[in-house]
Amino acid sequence: MAANAAETPAKPITPNPTVYVVDDDPSIRRLVAWLMERDGVQVQSYASAEAFLEGFRPGSPACLVLDLTLGGMDGLDLQASLKERLIEMPIVFMSATGDIPRAVEAVKRGAVDFVVKPFDYRKLVELIRQCLARSAVALNRHRESAAMTAGLAALTPREREIMDLVVAGKLNRMIAEELAVSIKTVEAHRARIMEKLQVNSVAELVRLSLTAKGAPVPSQ
């Protein structure tokens, strides 16, 4: 039996996290790969920013460990390019001592942090773990937002009207009187609204509606 087209699909299983290493020094690439793979985290390494952009595929929690100084497109250029492409990914920069002012500039532009070569292995691993956790949260929020947008788009004009009245705190009887329909009709519409938006209570419906409008959501 075909699934209801209006239903929000089940949340997909989050793919395994990936650490991307971009550095023109092969020894650094091997070292970071070894540090992360011993923790069971998959690593993809690139010798240039251009190669990374060609090979990168979004969709899983990720962290970019990026050398500040590269031949061709350097680290700051790659950071700017990712922002232009609306690719949100936590970045940890690696820099030499003389590049600290530029590394600070990278953090001001949104990088999580930077480490100075030769770096503290434990600090780098901890930063990467923090980045992967942050990326997973952001990815889940993005997917929830997309599901919410799809659910709201699936509502009919009448369902949207009834949803707004429910969110405003009106009871079924009041809504029926205001719209000149039966209470059973209102109940049927409410059931379809809850199904399409994958919510189980009026409180959840209110929170979803506020989120969709960009309004502050009261804390529980």
Side-chain angles (χ1 to χ4, degrees), residues 51-103:
F52 164 76
L53 288 174
E54 184 176 346
F56 173 69
R57 297 294 180 269
S60 65
C63 171
L64 175 58
V65 180
L66 177 59
D67 187 28
L68 190 61
T69 305
L70 295 166
M73 179 185 290
D74 69 11
L76 289 178
D77 290 337
L78 177 55
Q79 183 185 31
S81 178
L82 292 174
K83 186 171 294 187
E84 289 174 0
R85 299 173 187 221
L86 303 180
I87 297 175
E88 297 182 4
M89 178 166 42
I91 301 175
V92 175
F93 274 93
M94 295 184 292
S95 71
T97 304
D99 289 326
I100 289 180
R102 295 179 70 231

Side-chain angles (χ1 to χ4, degrees), residues 9-27:
K11 185 185 295 184
I13 298 174
T14 302
N16 292 329
T18 301
V19 174
Y20 296 91
V21 184
V22 181
D23 196 307
D24 52 12
D25 184 340
S27 65

Side-chain angles (χ1 to χ4, degrees), residues 35-150:
L35 288 171
M36 299 316 303
E37 288 172 349
R38 70 177 184 172
D39 278 355
V41 178
Q42 62 185 4
V43 177
Q44 293 187 26
S45 301
Y46 300 90
S48 69
E50 292 84 356
F52 164 76
L53 288 174
E54 184 176 346
F56 173 69
R57 297 294 180 269
S60 65
C63 171
L64 175 58
V65 180
L66 177 59
D67 187 28
L68 190 61
T69 305
L70 295 166
M73 179 185 290
D74 69 11
L76 289 178
D77 290 337
L78 177 55
Q79 183 185 31
S81 178
L82 292 174
K83 186 171 294 187
E84 289 174 0
R85 299 173 187 221
L86 303 180
I87 297 175
E88 297 182 4
M89 178 166 42
I91 301 175
V92 175
F93 274 93
M94 295 184 292
S95 71
T97 304
D99 289 326
I100 289 180
R102 295 179 70 231
V104 172
E105 177 63 25
V107 172
K108 290 180 179 178
R109 295 185 186 185
V112 172
D113 207 339
F114 66 90
V115 294
V116 179
K117 299 177 181 178
F119 50 79
D120 183 326
Y121 303 161
R122 289 170 296 182
K123 178 182 178 180
L124 178 62
V125 170
E126 182 57 31
L127 282 172
I128 292 173
R129 287 172 177 164
Q130 293 173 12
C131 287
L132 292 176
R134 177 185 301 187
S135 179
V137 170
L139 187 62
N140 284 334
R141 285 178 178 170
H142 176 75
R143 287 173 174 166
E144 289 171 359
S145 177
M148 177 183 70
T149 300

Side-chain angles (χ1 to χ4, degrees), residues 23-34:
D23 196 307
D24 52 12
D25 184 340
S27 65
I28 294 294
R29 297 198 303 271
R30 288 194 297 268
L31 174 60
V32 177
W34 177 78

